[in-house]
Amino acid sequence: MIKKIAILTSGGDCPGMNVALKAIVNAAINNNIEPYVVFEGYKGLYDNNFEKITKEEVKFIDRKGGTVIYSARFPQFKELEIRKQAVNNLKAEGIEALICIGGDGTYMGAAKLTEMGIKTIALPGTIDNDISSTDYTIGFNTALETIVRAVDNLRDTSESHNRINLVEVMGHGCGDLAINAAIITGAEVLSTPERKLDVKQIIEKLKKSDSKRSKIVMISEYIYKDLNKVAQEIEKATGQETKATILGHIQRGGSANPIERLLTIRMANYAIKMLIKGKNGVAVNITDNKLNTKDILEIVKMKRPSKEELLKEYDKSI
Ligand code: ATP
């Protein structure tokens, strides 16, 4: 029976990381497991920066955005010697298992620790929804809400001033945030990694649009080098004032919405249940509203699910 576990958040932060931390601490203590927190992800493991945590200390953190135990990009963790130090630090404290909350990079770190004798369970913490084994990642729902509110605000002012607005959203190569936000906000044009448009095609679509005044062009990050230049080209070709808005890190902030909190608590409780059952080197998923686990090494090799159905939904809605 596992007696001590540690919890870390790693990679890009997302709404819900604190909810996950609180739920894991509660579930662990309720099962007579002592929880520790690691500060700054894998960097904290290497720096021996972890401490024991109580239920009282996490009581109110679920209302906060970001991650109270911090996150870090620590590429050095790919080096075996660095990981050996981290494993030694964990073993010196008697910690046998680690719950890692993060994206696919975080998953890789967890898989490597499993190979080195530390039991690991990962939770999908990323706004991008780019982990193929799960329908939803922690953070996606809240980030989508943030985007929708921002685009609704842009729509108000664009309609008043007869403007086209290009809106760039995150996704790290996955179109889920952009496609879903485009459906919800009725964006007139959509360009995502799964269906990239060149500037000419965007202009054609804008010219054909039924919208008389404001037009929103929803764009995933990394598609165009310079969004302001794209806006200038569009303005020249359409004769309509065109602005570019990059939502950026605003999408990562804020406290998790209720649906996100519920999903996260369910995933966290399940993670502890699976750990007690002896699962190791796996990540928690939700598929068709059912919780399950899959080997991390299988997950990182999985192909991205097709977005065709979702794109068809967009086409029908516009
Ligand atoms: P996001 O999707 O939000 O970017 P992420 O978890 O994918 O989150 P990364 O920066 O890619 O973010 O990875 C987080 C951390 O995981 C890295 O900083 C590094 O410490 C560790 N990591 C990533 N890849 C590996 C690997 N191949 N081996 C060991 N550790 C890794």
Side-chain angles (χ1 to χ4, degrees):
M1 176 70 193
I2 290 169
K3 290 206 171 65
K4 286 185 186 181
I5 62 165
I7 306 143
L8 61 80
T9 52
S10 160
D13 65 336
C14 66
M17 279 182 160
N18 290 326
V19 180
L21 175 59
K22 175 180 171 178
I24 292 163
V25 167
N26 287 346
I29 292 170
N30 292 344
N31 284 284
N32 301 313
I33 299 169
E34 273 181 56
Y36 283 65
V37 288
V38 183
F39 295 96
E40 294 192 308
Y42 293 121
K43 183 175 182 302
L45 278 189
Y46 174 70
D47 291 339
N48 208 11
N49 191 6
F50 37 90
E51 61 186 40
K52 215 170 142 176
I53 188 137
T54 63
K55 276 190 184 180
E56 199 56 28
E57 284 170 289
V58 295
K59 195 166 176 181
F60 301 112
I61 65 168
D62 49 350
R63 304 169 187 187
K64 289 187 182 168
T67 161
V68 296
I69 52 171
Y70 314 126
S71 187
R73 307 271 182 196
F74 187 55
Q76 296 90 324
F77 207 65
K78 290 177 188 167
E79 295 164 32
L80 182 62
E81 289 309 310
I82 299 281
R83 289 200 305 278
K84 273 187 188 164
Q85 182 62 50
V87 169
N88 288 343
N89 290 341
L90 282 170
K91 287 192 173 159
E93 196 63 51
I95 296 168
E96 302 145 271
L98 194 62
I99 311 261
C100 305
I101 308 156
D104 48 6
T106 302
Y107 278 27
M108 280 310 298
K112 298 241 168 102
L113 288 172
T114 306
E115 287 167 8
M116 297 169 77
I118 301 292
K119 295 188 172 71
T120 61
I121 305 242
L123 288 186
T126 168
I127 65 164
D128 300 325
N129 214 37
D130 61 347
I131 295 184
S132 304
S133 54
T134 186
D135 291 347
Y136 297 108
T137 56
I138 295 167
F140 171 71
N141 196 302
T142 307
L144 182 60
E145 187 174 328
T146 301
I147 294 167
V148 168
R149 303 259 175 262
V151 174
D152 283 351
N153 288 358
L154 275 174
R155 177 71 83 176
D156 289 344
T157 173
S158 300
E159 187 70 15
S160 305
H161 284 272
N162 192 18
R163 275 187 199 130
I164 296 169
N165 239 296
L166 314 186
V167 184
E168 186 190 281
V169 302
M170 285 184 168
H172 205 248
C174 171
D176 280 12
L177 281 173
I179 306 170
N180 283 286
I183 296 170
I184 297 165
T185 61
E188 281 76 0
V189 184
L190 169 66
S191 182
T192 74
E194 298 84 1
R195 190 196 271 176
K196 271 184 213 172
L197 302 182
D198 60 30
V199 180
K200 253 192 186 164
Q201 289 170 308
I202 295 178
I203 292 165
E204 267 167 39
K205 285 194 183 282
L206 285 167
K207 283 185 174 167
K208 281 191 198 147
S209 166
D210 295 329
S211 294
K212 297 224 163 24
R213 290 178 66 86
S214 68
K215 294 170 197 79
I216 299 289
V217 183
M218 187 73 67
I219 295 170
S220 294
E221 63 183 351
Y222 310 143
I223 296 185
Y224 311 103
K225 262 199 197 133
D226 184 341
L227 212 60
N228 284 309
K229 259 197 185 154
V230 176
Q232 281 165 12
E233 273 183 64
I234 292 173
E235 183 166 311
K236 208 169 152 199
T238 60
Q240 189 173 3
E241 190 185 9
T242 305
K243 300 271 186 202
T245 305
I246 297 169
L247 292 184
H249 284 86
I250 283 170
Q251 297 161 90
R252 290 230 181 119
S255 56
N257 70 24
I259 296 289
E260 196 93 83
R261 284 163 71 166
L262 191 60
L263 169 72
T264 306
I265 293 165
R266 288 176 67 198
M267 282 187 161
N269 287 337
Y270 193 73
I272 293 295
K273 189 173 158 188
M274 290 300 106
L275 193 67
I276 292 167
K277 245 183 127 179
K279 293 268 184 178
N280 181 14
V282 298
V284 174
N285 311 299
I286 186 144
T287 49
D288 299 328
N289 204 26
K290 288 208 169 57
L291 295 162
N292 57 78
T293 56
K294 205 176 187 70
D295 281 354
I296 291 172
L297 289 176
E298 261 182 68
I299 293 173
V300 292
K301 281 188 224 142
M302 277 174 83
K303 254 181 72 182
R304 288 259 165 87
S306 161
K307 303 295 167 197
E308 265 320 297
E309 285 305 310
L310 201 56
L311 284 164
K312 274 189 202 153
E313 215 64 65
Y314 167 73
D315 293 336
K316 278 186 244 163
S317 70
I318 202 67

